[in-house]
Every structure is written in C-alpha cells, then in structure tokens.
Amino acid sequence: MLIAHLSDPHLRPRGHLYHNIIDSNAMFLTAIRHLASLDPQPDLVLLSGDLVDMGTEAEYAHAAEMLALIPQPVFMIPGNHDDRERFRACFGHHGYVAHAGPLHFAVGDQGALRILGLDITVPGAHHGDMDDATCLWLEERLAEEPDRPTIIMMHQPPFDSGIPFIDAYCCRQGARLADIVAGYPAVERILCGHIHRFMQLRFGGTMLVTAPSTTTAIALRLHDNAEPASFVEPPAMLLHHWRPQLGLVTHLVPIGSFQGPLHFF
Ligand SMILES: [Fe+2]
C-alpha cells in the first residue's frame, strides 16, 4: 500500500495568486503532474488541510477541477484556511465526507492501513483543538479495531515546533491526543500539515510527521522573538509506503524536474 500525502496547497480562484505573489494553483498542478509520474503509482492520496486559501466558493470550485485530475481516491481534512461548510458543500458527495458537524472521517477499505482524519479546526480561528468531542470520536474509532495499523491525519500539529509564530496557532490540548494514542500501539503515524515544513518527532509513543506544502515554506526561525515569514523553498510531498513485515516507511519527495537518472556510483 502506497500513500501520497500532499498538504497546504492554498489554492485560489483561477487566475489569482496566493498573497498576490505566488502561483499556488500552478504549483499544485506541478505536484499533480509529479504524482502522476511516480512509478509505482500511489493507491490513494491524502491532503492534510488548507486546500484553499480564503475559503471561498470560487476557490473550492477551482480546487475541485484540479483534484479531478487525480485518478486515485483523495481523502482530505480541512485546515484553518478552509471553510468547513463550503468544503462540505463542494465535496459532500464523496462518501467519506460527514454530512454534519466536524469533517472527521474513517476509511478502512483502501488496503491494510486504516486512515482516520480528524477535523480539529475551530471555525473562525487559526489554532486547532483536541476538544472533548474529537477525543471521544477518536477513542471510539480506535477501539473499533484496536490492532489495525492506523494513520491519524490532522491539520495543526499538536506540539510546539520551536517556531514561535506558528506555534501560536498549533492544536491546543495536544497532550490529550498523546494520551489516547499511547494506548494504541498499532497507530503507525500521526500526519499533520499547517506548518509547511517537514518535521518528525516521537509523540504519544508513535511517530509524528508534518508534511511540506506544495507552495511556500514557513521560515525556519527558532528564536523566541522570530519575525514571521515564509519562503519559496523547493516544494515536496510525502510518500508513505506500508511494508507489512516492517511498518510504514515515509519518504520525502521533492516536487519538480531534476537532472537524472545518473550512474548509481
Ligand atoms: Fe497552510
């Protein structure tokens, strides 16, 4: 089972730029083309939030057009730049999208791994929250198949990254998630977006990784008083490869055209 993981494309209406500077739409199309060039092809695609930038209908309409270019099943959660109800209105015809309330999803029929998507967004705010209802939903899903290898996907990371201007908008009450996951060793990975950078750490007894954005990268500034900033760094996606005898192997895959193949040695 091979899972491609894209994040934070911040799509705009056709012809509009992200922050009036960056062509996030073109960068997402490049990501889709790169995805199509992978051999073997991923079985499914995950997208960990901030599908669009302003949460408008026009953005979602354009996003839906672009997503239709991906032949694999795509499973998405919203981020703080999404609008939950407009997301639902656009993608509610997909079976995994909840008809009411938070856009949590549980997908278990795509292969060996079960995928749980958590909608931890707080409408109108940029931070996330592991609130009571989300904790309960997650505990119930995990208890349904406690030994099944599982991926949990959420938008805001539930830890302090050390980059202060993004940590102000992390997922609050992250310790509750750590406590829940610690009871389920079959949780292979927690996947996050939001931070527009690749990071990995041990969390709740499992491994947590954050996905780069297909557009910009949040500045790697680790000082307490760091000025917020972003850069156009090489975009990338993650590829999660389930290998039954080993577990889940995560690859960082830069997006673009690169010289090669060259001689191995
Ligand atoms: Fe984002």
Side-chain angles (χ1 to χ4, degrees), residues 166-258:
I166 192 71
D167 289 341
Y169 308 109
C170 70
C171 174
R172 295 180 186 164
Q173 307 197 77
R176 301 176 85 182
L177 175 65
D179 287 346
I180 294 168
V181 168
Y184 294 92
V187 174
E188 281 283 333
R189 220 48 117 248
I190 299 172
L191 308 179
C192 299
H194 189 55
I195 206 150
H196 293 217
R197 303 199 64 82
F198 176 75
M199 294 183 185
Q200 61 179 356
L201 69 155
R202 187 164 60 178
F203 184 90
T206 186
M207 186 184 288
L208 187 156
V209 298
T210 68
S213 164
T214 59
T215 59
T216 52
I218 283 175
L220 179 53
R221 293 180 172 175
L222 298 169
H223 296 292
D224 290 345
N225 56 354
E227 279 290 312
S230 293
F231 286 86
V232 183
E233 294 183 2
M237 67 177 89
L238 301 181
L239 202 58
H240 306 290
H241 186 195
W242 173 248
R243 302 178 65 194
Q245 305 306 318
L246 183 64
L248 194 65
V249 180
T250 292
H251 300 262
L252 177 70
V253 183
I255 295 168
S257 300
F258 307 101

Side-chain angles (χ1 to χ4, degrees), residues 7-32 50-54 59 62 66 196 213-216 232 235:
S7 198
D8 292 81
H10 288 260
L11 300 176
R12 301 284 289 126
R14 184 184 297 280
H16 290 247
L17 300 177
Y18 173 48
H19 289 198
N20 297 318
I21 300 172
I22 305 297
D23 195 344
S24 56
N25 298 333
M27 294 180 87
F28 192 58
L29 288 175
T30 301
I32 291 173
D50 285 357
L51 173 65
V52 303
D53 191 50
M54 309 289 284
E59 287 180 336
H62 192 209
M66 284 191 268
H196 293 217
S213 164
T214 59
T215 59
T216 52
V232 183

Side-chain angles (χ1 to χ4, degrees), residues 35-119:
L35 192 63
S37 75
L38 295 175
D39 184 15
Q41 274 286 281
D43 299 297
L44 62 99
V45 177
L46 300 178
L47 198 149
S48 49
D50 285 357
L51 173 65
V52 303
D53 191 50
M54 309 289 284
T56 65
E57 273 181 44
E59 287 180 336
Y60 283 112
H62 192 209
E65 277 181 43
M66 284 191 268
L67 288 167
L69 301 172
I70 300 175
Q72 290 91 347
V74 180
F75 300 99
M76 306 185 288
I77 48 164
N80 52 302
H81 283 264
D82 287 295
D83 179 280
R84 185 182 283 170
E85 296 313 321
R86 291 194 180 123
F87 184 109
R88 194 186 335 262
C90 190
F91 301 109
H93 59 287
H94 292 282
Y96 77 95
V97 176
H99 294 308
L103 294 163
H104 306 315
F105 71 80
V107 168
D109 61 355
Q110 296 292 314
L113 286 166
R114 173 178 55 167
I115 299 154
L116 303 179
L118 293 183
D119 177 2

